[in-house]
Amino acid sequence: MNEQLLSVGIDMGTSTTQLVLSRLYIQNMASSFSVPRLVITDKEVVYRSDICFTPVLPDNRIDMQKIQQFVEEQYVKAGISKDDIQTGAVIITGETARKDNANEAVLSLSGFAGDFVVATAGPDLESIIAAKGAGAHTYSKDHSTSIVNIDIGGGTSNLALFQSGELVDTGCLDIGGRLIKVDQQTHEITYIAPKIRQLAEQRGIMLALGQQVTPESLKPIIEEMVKLLEESVGLRAPGDFYDTIITNKGLKLEKSIPCISFSGGVADYIYHEAAGDVFQYGDIGILLGRAIAESPLVKELTVARAAETIRATVVGAGSHTTEISGSTITYTEESFPIKNIPILKLASVDEAGDSDRLAAAISDKLSWFKLNNDLQRVAIAIEGKNSPSFAEVQKYARGLYKGMSELLEREYPLIVIVHHDMAKVLGQTLYALLDYKKDVVCIDSVQVDNGDYIDIGKPIAEGKVLPVVIKTLVFH
């Protein structure tokens, strides 16, 4: 069986909103005698939209009407009807994700396609999405190295660190191209972000609203912003302003990082020289990109050219890969279907230690899925063991129990996904640790990754297996 799907990815960021249309080629890779296994065999970008500034109302809420109008206009330009679209993703990121009506805006767009992945991404999840869109995880895996991707947008710089293809850590700084806005005609400053104003005052740099500026007069403050980025990846020791500029947290720099990639709108001007007025976008994005290109970030680290820059976070949604779970599942209540659950996949190093190390890794990485300190519903994925011993099962169960303590406060069931065949014994052990008072869903024989979402259907085959749909955000 060969099939084609038309997929749309819509990204509403701090500064810009855009979409990408992709054609996904689906094939059943199973034999005639097996359960169907549908995978994406190829993908083709068929339309890249215009890029518009994200419209905001005077009360600082997202202008949903203008967003919908923009999307409809792009569909017309692409020559497609929304009824032609079978799948997609709506992602809202950056400062826009903090608007009062962010969730309402995302849901209002989900009607523009079929079975959507819908995500309001906090800074950590945005870091992951952008880095994978830039291809940093692939570069890290192919070269067996560490690489940090810095996605520099209008309001923030999102960092994601990979080691041999596995996500190790994330961070975010309040550094971006639109934190100082400049009138395109008069070259007068029209906006200064509070932290940048504070940085200028602390460094004795003249910066004021209405001040007419030149590239030379802005150089001191931009150099300070670049130094903070250098501190974030370990090229400089953290200075007195580093903790202030952090959005939520910085990277844990346990080892030196040899490679770097850049994405986001500012990245275009790290890789390319801009033509025309440096203030053509009404901000300092071009100047910030130029300064980074001349900094130790580029001169001292190996630069891996990003597959995408400004469009790194735009996703065509995905590989809706239907799989069947293994026959050793555990579920304590038939609370299905369960839909649209983001995956937290632990790295192999997290599973290598004892239960306390496993618990610490889970507890720490759950913060990737927080927005305004509110934890989303999350499924924890591990590799597990083939033919695990009793002690190994106990280690995993205790680590999951301790690490998922914050999830225990939520009403929904604990969801654990294991690659190897051990879900029944692990799920039952975990259920016992919970004193049989918390619903558990533990499934195996399913391969997922960070950035994936999962749907779990109702039990089939006399309740022995669960149909699973893995929604992989497909990055271009």
Side-chain angles (χ1 to χ4, degrees), residues 204-262:
I205 298 170
M206 175 62 183
L207 204 64
L209 293 177
Q211 175 185 344
Q212 193 171 55
V213 291
T214 64
E216 195 61 32
S217 65
L218 287 171
K219 186 176 180 181
I221 190 63
I222 291 173
E223 286 181 343
E224 291 296 329
M225 294 167 74
V226 174
K227 287 177 184 177
L228 288 163
L229 289 175
E230 292 168 9
E231 292 172 17
S232 74
V233 298
L235 290 178
R236 290 175 179 267
D240 59 351
F241 203 78
Y242 182 66
D243 288 342
T244 302
I245 207 68
I246 290 175
T247 308
N248 60 335
K249 67 183 183 68
L251 295 178
K252 299 184 195 71
L253 299 172
E254 298 172 350
K255 298 179 181 179
S256 61
I257 305 170
C259 303
I260 192 168
S261 60
F262 300 95

Side-chain angles (χ1 to χ4, degrees), residues 62-77:
I62 302 165
D63 191 332
M64 292 187 295
Q65 186 174 350
K66 285 189 177 179
I67 290 283
Q68 290 184 359
Q69 181 181 343
F70 169 75
V71 173
E72 288 172 341
E73 288 173 352
Q74 297 307 308
Y75 283 3
V76 170
K77 284 189 175 184

Side-chain angles (χ1 to χ4, degrees), residues 407-424:
L407 286 171
L408 292 175
E409 302 171 5
R410 306 299 194 270
E411 294 181 2
Y412 37 79
L414 295 185
I415 303 172
V416 178
I417 301 164
V418 192
H419 184 206
H420 292 296
D421 186 11
M422 58 179 286
K424 188 159 193 167

Side-chain angles (χ1 to χ4, degrees), residues 86-100:
Q86 293 122 311
T87 185
V90 182
I91 306 293
I92 185 166
T93 59
E95 293 297 322
T96 308
R98 301 178 181 90
K99 306 296 185 188
D100 289 341

